Amino acid sequence: MTQCGKFITFEGIDGAGKSTHIGFVAEFLASRGKTVVSSREPGGTPLGEKLRDLLLHEKMHLETEALLMFASRREHIAQVIAPALERGDWVLSDRFTDASFAYQSGGRGLDRAKMEALEQWVHPTLQPDLTLLFDVPLAVARQRLDATRTLDKFEREQADFFEKCRNEYLRRAAEHPERIVVVDSTQTIEAIQLRLAEVLEKLL
Ligand SMILES: Nc1ncnc2c1ncn2[C@@H]1O[C@H](COP(=O)(O)OP(=O)(O)OP(=O)(O)O)[C@@H](O)[C@H]1O
Ligand SMILES: [Mg+2]
């Protein structure tokens, strides 16, 4: 694949700020004359959105979940990401493979070697040019998602799950410092946008 555009992914646990900042990044790049394609995973294509619906609502074996995530990703790369990069567009994706490592391996405990095999199979050469990892303590993310609720027993169990996801994200960031930038998401939205502008400037 001849790639001229750039591929940026947005990562972080639920409530970390991915959706809040993807719009800002899209506008920033557009103001610099870039053509921007914004997308999300799981999803991003008609088939991918059907898989998303299954993934978010059906109970399934952990490995089925991982395989469907990568099936959605394979379609997303073929239909959206690769053609856009070849046209010279900039692609922004709300989640990509780091999320599979964080949730299915970190959170749910799927053997990391299996995840690495899927990554090698589905995108052996493609990696994001930049991954913005919005990092925030779980309690802050929770508070942002629902400022009024106190956690019940079940939600506390989930808290442990999200803590494991966050740790796996940070492990990936330490493993791939050349592309993953950890953004302190406890800061104000304005402060974060200044930091994002700085990071993007280097990529332009
Ligand atoms: N830095 C910030 N300071 C204060 N509030 C924030 C900040 N970043 C995001 N928020 C608020 O937190 C909430 C969750 O943010 P957002 O929807 O962007 O998270 P997300 O990472 O996309 O979550 P999900 O994975 O659930 O889609 C929103 O109401 C948003 O306005
Ligand atoms: Mg979101």
Side-chain angles (χ1 to χ4, degrees):
M1 183 174 83
T2 358
Q3 181 184 326
C4 311
K6 297 225 189 273
F7 181 30
I8 306 178
T9 59
F10 293 68
E11 299 285 1
I13 59 171
D14 303 54
K18 300 176 295 297
S19 303
T20 302
H21 296 294
I22 199 165
F24 168 78
V25 172
E27 278 172 33
F28 182 91
L29 293 171
S31 77
R32 298 309 184 85
K34 305 297 177 194
T35 303
V36 179
V37 175
S38 295
S39 195
R40 69 168 182 183
E41 289 201 355
T45 64
L47 176 61
E49 291 295 326
K50 287 186 188 170
L51 293 172
R52 180 189 181 90
D53 195 44
L54 289 173
L55 281 160
L56 299 190
H57 300 114
E58 296 283 334
K59 268 195 174 285
M60 60 184 75
H61 189 279
L62 170 57
E63 293 190 356
T64 310
E65 185 176 282
L67 288 164
L68 288 182
M69 287 288 179
F70 274 91
S72 162
R73 183 161 299 136
R74 185 69 193 89
E75 200 64 16
H76 194 207
I77 293 168
Q79 304 282 345
V80 178
I81 300 173
L85 293 176
E86 277 169 28
R87 286 194 305 269
D89 296 353
W90 286 50
V91 179
L92 311 183
S93 186
D94 193 330
R95 298 192 186 283
F96 192 62
T97 294
D98 295 309
S100 298
F101 277 89
Y103 285 74
Q104 277 73 48
S105 282
R108 298 211 204 284
L110 178 66
D111 182 2
R112 205 184 282 138
K114 290 188 175 170
M115 200 53 81
E116 283 162 355
L118 285 170
E119 182 182 31
Q120 272 305 308
W121 182 16
V122 168
H123 54 100
T125 55
L126 175 74
Q127 282 296 339
D129 296 286
L130 170 68
T131 296
L132 297 167
L133 171 53
F134 295 93
D135 182 57
V136 72
L138 178 67
V140 177
R142 271 299 168 95
Q143 209 169 22
R144 285 182 186 165
L145 284 178
D146 189 347
T148 57
R149 203 178 43 180
T150 45
L151 299 185
D152 62 26
K153 188 178 153 200
F154 179 68
E155 286 164 339
R156 277 204 304 278
E157 273 184 24
Q158 284 194 327
D160 174 53
F161 168 79
F162 287 116
E163 208 57 68
K164 288 192 256 175
C165 294
R166 182 187 180 203
N167 289 339
E168 175 64 11
Y169 266 135
L170 291 172
R171 193 197 64 79
R172 290 280 285 176
E175 194 176 71
H176 300 285
E178 73 293 348
R179 73 169 167 88
I180 304 181
V181 172
V182 181
V183 178
D184 175 4
S185 206
T186 61
Q187 295 179 298
T188 62
I189 290 175
E190 295 71 25
I192 291 169
Q193 289 178 350
L194 286 176
R195 169 105 172 95
L196 294 179
E198 234 176 61
V199 172
L200 292 169
E201 220 41 270
K202 288 188 203 146
L203 205 61
L204 280 161

